[in-house]
Structures are given as structure tokens and as C-alpha cells.
Amino acid sequence: MQQITIANIEKAVNKIDNLDDDGLEKISETYGLAQQDFLGYAMSAGMEFENDTLTGLIIYYFNIYFEAFAQQGVKVKRITNEDIDAFQDEFSQVLEEYMDEEDIDLILAITNQPNLIAFMANEIEMADDDGTSLDDETATQLFIVSTAMIGLMNKAIA
């Protein structure tokens, strides 16, 4: 399995952050249409947690992750509901163990993307340009959803 490099994550962030509204809509549509089941799964977390802030963040990071894979030239197969269901059981068990033990190696083992996990952890802890930080609940929810997204994408590497 190919691991996404820090350089390609940075390229993805720069690209997404520098898009205007039309460009952002176009790239969201491109990745979303290619991965409809997966996007639906990711977006359902915002509804389940009843957190509108989380929903916006999911779309943002969904685009960054797919762009980072694209920057590295790594193809991701279409992620189906069957793929999601198969992953969810394993992920739930690992997440429960992680919450008990706080052993990041458990997360790294299921995702096999240490640079993306480190990037996400940093994003969660860092304040925005305007000095605002995520509240603990949203940060935890974003970590859970992002870890699942990264893990599923890693399993779908073509």
C-alpha cells in the first residue's frame, strides 16, 4: 500500500484553500460524483452527530484527502456501501480499543496512512487563522470521521 506523502498533502491543502467558490464547487462535485456512496457515508456523520460545523468540515477534508491521493497519482477505486459495511465492524472495534487505550498505533494500523493521520491530528489541535479552535466534541467527531475516511480510502487504493 502506498502512503501519501507530506508534500502531496501540502499540495492538496494549497490547491483546495486557493480555489474560489466555483472551483471548490467543481472539485467537490467531481470527487462527490465519483464516490457517491462514500460521500453519503461521510456526510451522514454530521447528521448523526447533529453537528452542522462537522458537516462543513467533512466536505472540506473529503476534498483534501482525495486531492492528496490525486497529487500523488494514487487511484482510489469506487468505495461502495458494501465496502463501508465491511470496514465499519473492524473500525468500530479498533476505535473502541483506541478510546480505552489511547494507542495511536491502533489507528495507524487500520489506516496505513501515518502522514494523513498526523495531518488530521494537527488540524484538529491547531487554531484557525482567526484564532478559533474546534470545541472538544467537534474535534473528537472530526477525528472519528476522518480516521474512517482515511482507512476506507486506503483500503480502496487501486
Side-chain angles (χ1 to χ4, degrees), residues 98-129:
Y98 172 75
M99 294 299 187
D100 288 342
E101 300 173 24
E102 294 188 23
D103 182 359
I104 194 69
D105 289 337
L106 295 167
I107 298 298
L108 295 175
I110 198 168
T111 61
N112 194 39
Q113 292 294 338
N115 295 327
L116 280 171
I117 294 297
F119 162 74
M120 192 67 246
N122 188 46
E123 288 285 298
I124 289 170
E125 292 175 8
M126 251 179 34
D128 285 345
D129 292 340

Side-chain angles (χ1 to χ4, degrees), residues 2-69:
Q2 192 169 5
Q3 294 180 351
I4 305 303
T5 65
I6 294 168
N8 286 315
I9 296 167
E10 290 172 351
K11 287 179 193 174
V13 170
N14 286 334
K15 180 175 179 177
I16 299 298
D17 285 353
N18 288 308
L19 289 173
D20 61 14
D21 288 343
D22 289 340
L24 193 54
E25 186 176 324
K26 186 175 180 178
I27 202 164
S28 293
E29 186 177 313
T30 299
Y31 291 136
L33 287 174
Q35 294 285 349
Q36 290 181 22
D37 290 348
F38 183 50
L39 180 58
Y41 162 74
M43 295 299 294
S44 71
M47 290 181 274
E48 286 178 31
F49 287 123
E50 297 178 3
N51 186 334
D52 292 336
T53 301
L54 179 64
T55 302
L57 291 167
I58 289 169
I59 294 168
Y60 176 72
Y61 288 107
F62 179 88
N63 288 327
I64 286 180
Y65 299 151
F66 273 100
E67 185 59 32
F69 275 73

Side-chain angles (χ1 to χ4, degrees), residues 76-112:
V76 178
K77 294 181 283 191
R78 190 172 62 86
I79 299 169
T80 65
N81 286 322
E82 291 78 20
D83 297 327
I84 293 164
D85 291 343
F87 176 79
Q88 195 59 42
D89 289 337
E90 177 187 9
F91 178 68
S92 295
Q93 183 178 352
V94 167
L95 189 60
E96 194 173 307
E97 288 178 43
Y98 172 75
M99 294 299 187
D100 288 342
E101 300 173 24
E102 294 188 23
D103 182 359
I104 194 69
D105 289 337
L106 295 167
I107 298 298
L108 295 175
I110 198 168
T111 61
N112 194 39

